[in-house]
Amino acid sequence: MENGNVGTLEPKTEKVPAIYGALRNVLNGIGAIAKGGTNTNQGYKFRKLDDVYNAFHPLLRDAGIIILPFVEKREDTPLLNKDGKPGGFRVALVVKHRFLSLEDGSWVDASVPSEAADSYDKATQKALSFAFKYNLSETFCVPFADMKDGDEESPETATAPQAAPAPAAKPAPAKSSEKVE
């Protein structure tokens, strides 16, 4: 016993990494991002990359977050054009994005799969852009301004033909010692 202090416990204080508060600030600031683009070949609507960048950039800047991409996995498949000749590539990626706080260097990682095809040399860039857009959308649960719920529609599919029922069993023939009437 020194100076009458016995077993005095000092409260332990651990500083919460700044990235958590910074991510919360972005989450609190982001609103719905409309699907402002339309795919001309298939007719579906999508969020344009520029719209996602424009919505997130000021929030990320003000929160002191930079995002670093890392390709964790890459697979590419050569494609053939309609004439059967080489015609580009399909690229499948798994991209990890590191959300890094400029305040204290803390970070969190989020990975997302992505794929794209291109008839020339842009499949990788397209897949990276898609990964970034969808990682932000999923990480921050960005609302869609005009998205239909996936349960509203069902794909039209043909039903597989049903197998013909098995023929009914024939009665066993009568034994010769039995009398048939």
Side-chain angles (χ1 to χ4, degrees), residues 131-154:
F132 185 72
K133 180 170 60 169
Y134 289 108
N135 209 337
L136 284 172
S137 297
E138 291 176 0
T139 298
F140 293 101
C141 300
V142 177
F144 290 90
D146 55 359
M147 180 179 174
K148 287 185 178 181
D149 190 301
D151 290 333
E152 287 184 30
E153 297 177 356
S154 296

Side-chain angles (χ1 to χ4, degrees), residues 99-132:
F99 295 80
L100 177 71
S101 168
L102 296 174
E103 182 179 329
D104 67 356
S106 58
W107 75 83
V108 296
D109 292 334
S111 295
V112 65
S114 182
E115 63 182 82
D118 192 77
S119 58
Y120 295 103
D121 61 351
K122 303 288 186 270
T124 300
Q125 290 79 0
K126 287 179 178 182
L128 285 168
S129 296
F130 294 156
F132 185 72

Side-chain angles (χ1 to χ4, degrees), residues 5 8 12 28 43 57 72 92 97 109 114 135 140 151 154 162 175 180:
N5 294 330
T8 304
K12 287 187 175 183
N28 288 339
H57 181 264
E72 296 181 310
H97 290 95
D109 292 334
S114 182
N135 209 337
F140 293 101
D151 290 333
S154 296
Q162 298 293 323
K175 294 183 182 176
V180 178

Side-chain angles (χ1 to χ4, degrees), residues 60-79:
L60 293 166
R61 179 197 59 224
D62 293 348
I65 297 173
I66 60 171
I67 302 172
L68 306 172
F70 299 91
V71 175
E72 296 181 310
K73 183 178 178 182
R74 175 193 162 92
E75 294 177 7
D76 58 358
T77 306
L79 299 175

